[in-house]
Amino acid sequence: MSGRPRPGFAEAVGWSYVLALSRVGVTTLVTFVLAAVLGPEAIGLVAMALVFILFVEMLLQQGLLPAIVQRSELRQEHADTAFWLVVGIGSLLTVAAAGLAPVWERINGTPGLALLVWGLTPLVLIQSLVVVQEAILRREMRFQSLAVRTMAVGLVGGVVGVACAFSGLGVWSLVAQQVSGALVGVVVLWRVSDWRPRWHFDRVAARELFTFSRHSAAASIGVFLGNKADILVAGIFFGPFVVGVYRLAQRAASTGVEISGRAMQAVSLPELSARQHDMADFARRYIRLQQLTAAVSLPVLGALAGVAGLLGPALGDDWTLVGVPLRGLAIASALTTVAAVAGPALQAMGSPGALAVISWARAVFVVLGLVTVGLLLQGSDDQTRLTAFVAVMIASAAAAFLVMAWVLMSKLRLSARAYAGSLLPGLAGGLVATVVGWGLATVLGAELLPLLGLLISAAVAVALGGLTSLAAVRPVVPLRRRRKALPEAEGFTPLKTPDRAPAQP
């Protein structure tokens, strides 16, 4: 819609990784500084408030953003209508979030939580102003512009948060970090985006967007609950200290995902959507994307699991328990990341309903498992609680991975050999990184300062694991299983191709 030429895949991937690295590099540094200054209690309180706001933001964003990216034809009427829908819904959700804040405080039994929710509530309305611009930039694969926005948000929010923390504002430093960063993000995104909304609302366009977005939103709710149920349940049963320790471990694990697999996932939806009418080409590209995602992400997460024992000593005595959940969450994140391309693939082929079912099944599994753990372990020590919570997350990630793999192999008629073959280079690199990271952390942790030992061990482990996985990467031929008739899936066109597709060049 901007009239600019669409960047090539390699350029889009490069800028997508710049986007991920810029977001993670700054926010991770800021998070660890704030964690060392403020301690687990403050981190846990804001995590409990922020998960409520993030749920509201997800309702606002995830329905229409994938619908705009996925459409084979996007008219000005679609963008205009989506913008005013999002702003209107965002206004209503902002009021609703503010009204429900005291209820959320009572559910968690944590005095003062409503005040933090009120402080974070403006994020919902702020986010509504950039949903459509971000969707259009992603559709056009202009990740350079998104990277500029992300770097500005991280830098400004980080500076404000750290300055407030050292000024003695305590937990409100984290609120100031979030709100200031979001405001800067709006300004920057409107500057880098060529698109501007008109005063126009088209009912036909709204119906067309809604047809797709209702399934996408349902899937997003399931994904959110599956990913955030741990914070929700831990806050209700165990309070802010356990949430704070768990949240920092989760943040470290998500850092590994962000700098490795998330960038490829962001590119996958527009890249695969452009091939939705040629499913043979779609299958080849999907396998290649998954192979590259595993090859890059698993060494990073393997290294994180190897050096996890040094994170607590590096941050201070209050964080001694963080190593146990970090190792487990690195494993769970590895399972989630290798299937990260599957979600965009289902959306791109017009089957968000299947993604919704899988996401909700995982969410139910996670919630039931965590509630059971919460009820059974109320009198247990914090380390036992954290270990049990992580075990549930690993089990849910493994189950979701297996189901997602089966669905994609069925829809694309992929053989188990081709699917597994795309993961082997990443698995080899991840194993090397884990062993190297653990060995170096054991030696250097006793010889150097914990933070220095952690950084050196992680860097060497990632380098050796990454070289191992990338050296093993080879073109994978997506062999297809023979079948008399291909089932008609939502938005799926039967293949008319030979049983063997040519290898990806």
Side-chain angles (χ1 to χ4, degrees):
M1 293 185 64
S2 66
R4 297 185 184 182
R6 177 187 174 100
F9 175 72
E11 181 183 350
V13 170
W15 279 109
S16 184
Y17 273 103
V18 171
L19 172 65
L21 288 170
S22 61
R23 175 173 57 238
V24 169
V26 176
T27 57
T28 300
L29 176 61
V30 170
T31 297
F32 289 158
V33 170
L34 292 174
V37 174
L38 300 176
E41 192 88 9
I43 300 295
L45 280 169
V46 172
M48 293 162 65
L50 192 57
V51 73
F52 179 80
I53 297 299
L54 290 177
F55 176 75
V56 178
E57 282 190 359
M58 179 273 303
L59 294 176
L60 178 70
Q61 182 178 16
Q62 290 302 319
L64 288 175
L65 190 150
I68 293 172
V69 175
Q70 188 269 349
R71 286 193 64 84
S72 56
E73 178 189 2
L74 184 69
R75 303 190 305 273
Q76 178 72 29
E77 290 80 6
H78 289 119
D80 292 333
T81 301
F83 180 84
W84 296 115
L85 272 175
V86 170
V87 171
I89 295 171
S91 301
L92 294 175
L93 289 176
T94 300
V95 175
L100 291 172
V103 178
W104 185 238
E105 179 180 291
R106 286 196 294 272
I107 289 174
N108 285 273
T110 306
L113 189 60
L115 289 174
L116 292 175
V117 172
W118 287 330
L120 293 167
T121 298
L123 293 175
V124 179
L125 188 57
I126 293 170
Q127 180 62 31
S128 71
L129 299 174
V130 294
V131 168
V132 176
Q133 282 88 345
E134 180 176 350
I136 292 173
L137 291 173
R138 289 185 180 276
R139 174 185 175 85
E140 297 173 351
M141 299 181 75
R142 290 171 54 193
F143 290 96
Q144 178 180 2
S145 299
L146 292 172
V148 171
R149 185 276 301 264
T150 301
M151 286 187 281
V153 168
L155 286 171
V156 174
V159 169
V160 171
V162 171
C164 290
F166 281 104
S167 298
L169 293 182
V171 69
W172 289 98
S173 307
L174 300 168
V175 175
Q177 176 196 8
Q178 296 289 330
V179 175
S180 61
L183 289 171
V184 170
V186 171
V187 175
V188 174
L189 204 58
W190 276 72
R191 290 293 301 272
V192 300
S193 173
D194 298 330
W195 180 81
R196 294 293 182 271
R198 301 176 303 176
W199 292 96
H200 180 73
F201 186 91
D202 189 288
R203 293 184 179 180
V204 175
R207 284 196 298 270
E208 291 174 349
L209 291 170
F210 178 74
T211 300
F212 182 91
S213 64
R214 59 193 174 93
H215 293 296
S216 181
S220 297
I221 294 172
V223 170
F224 181 91
L225 292 177
N227 291 336
K228 302 297 184 183
D230 45 4
I231 299 295
L232 294 170
V233 175
I236 293 171
F237 285 102
F238 301 135
F241 179 83
V242 170
V243 172
V245 174
Y246 183 90
R247 174 57 184 152
L248 188 70
Q250 186 187 57
R251 179 61 191 164
S254 66
T255 295
V257 174
E258 290 284 343
I259 64 177
S260 55
R262 195 76 73 199
M264 194 68 72
Q265 184 183 19
V267 174
S268 297
L269 181 55
E271 176 70 11
L272 293 174
S273 294
R275 292 168 166 78
Q276 60 185 292
H277 301 300
D278 183 353
M279 297 308 292
D281 188 34
F282 188 106
R284 288 193 296 273
R285 179 58 66 174
Y286 168 75
I287 284 293
R288 187 61 168 172
L289 287 171
Q290 180 170 267
Q291 183 188 55
L292 293 174
T293 300
V296 174
S297 61
L298 294 188
V300 175
L301 291 166
L304 191 62
V307 303
L310 291 181
L311 181 59
L315 294 177
D317 294 339
D318 290 338
W319 296 100
T320 54
L321 298 180
V322 75
V324 174
L326 179 53
R327 287 194 183 93
L329 289 174
I331 297 172
S333 297
L335 290 166
T336 302
T337 303
V338 295
V341 184
L346 289 172
Q347 291 179 321
M349 70 173 63
S351 298
L355 178 60
V357 171
I358 296 170
S359 301
W360 273 98
R362 184 192 176 195
V364 171
F365 182 99
V366 170
V367 170
L368 291 178
L370 293 180
V371 168
T372 301
V373 167
L375 291 173
L376 293 176
L377 299 180
Q378 288 193 48
S380 301
D381 61 88
D382 292 337
Q383 183 168 340
T384 301
R385 296 168 177 174
L386 289 166
T387 303
F389 264 54
V390 170
V392 173
M393 298 307 294
I394 293 174
S396 68
F401 165 73
L402 293 173
V403 173
M404 194 78 80
W406 178 81
V407 170
L408 263 295
M409 286 191 291
S410 298
K411 284 186 173 293
L412 296 177
R413 294 170 58 196
L414 296 171
S415 68
R417 175 185 171 188
Y419 193 93
S422 68
L423 303 178
L424 289 179
L427 290 172
L431 180 61
V432 168
T434 302
V435 173
V436 171
W438 177 81
L440 288 176
T442 301
V443 174
L444 297 181
E447 300 293 334
L448 303 174
L449 292 174
L451 179 59
L452 184 59
L454 184 150
L455 294 175
I456 294 175
S457 302
V460 174
V462 169
L464 294 179
L467 288 174
T468 301
S469 64
L470 293 177
V473 167
R474 297 289 186 274
V476 177
V477 179
L479 301 176
R480 303 181 185 282
R481 297 179 297 186
R482 296 181 181 274
R483 186 179 294 175
K484 292 182 179 179
L486 195 64
E488 295 289 342
E490 180 186 359
F492 188 81
T493 304
L495 289 166
K496 297 180 180 179
T497 59
D499 288 333
R500 277 184 192 270
Q504 175 67 30

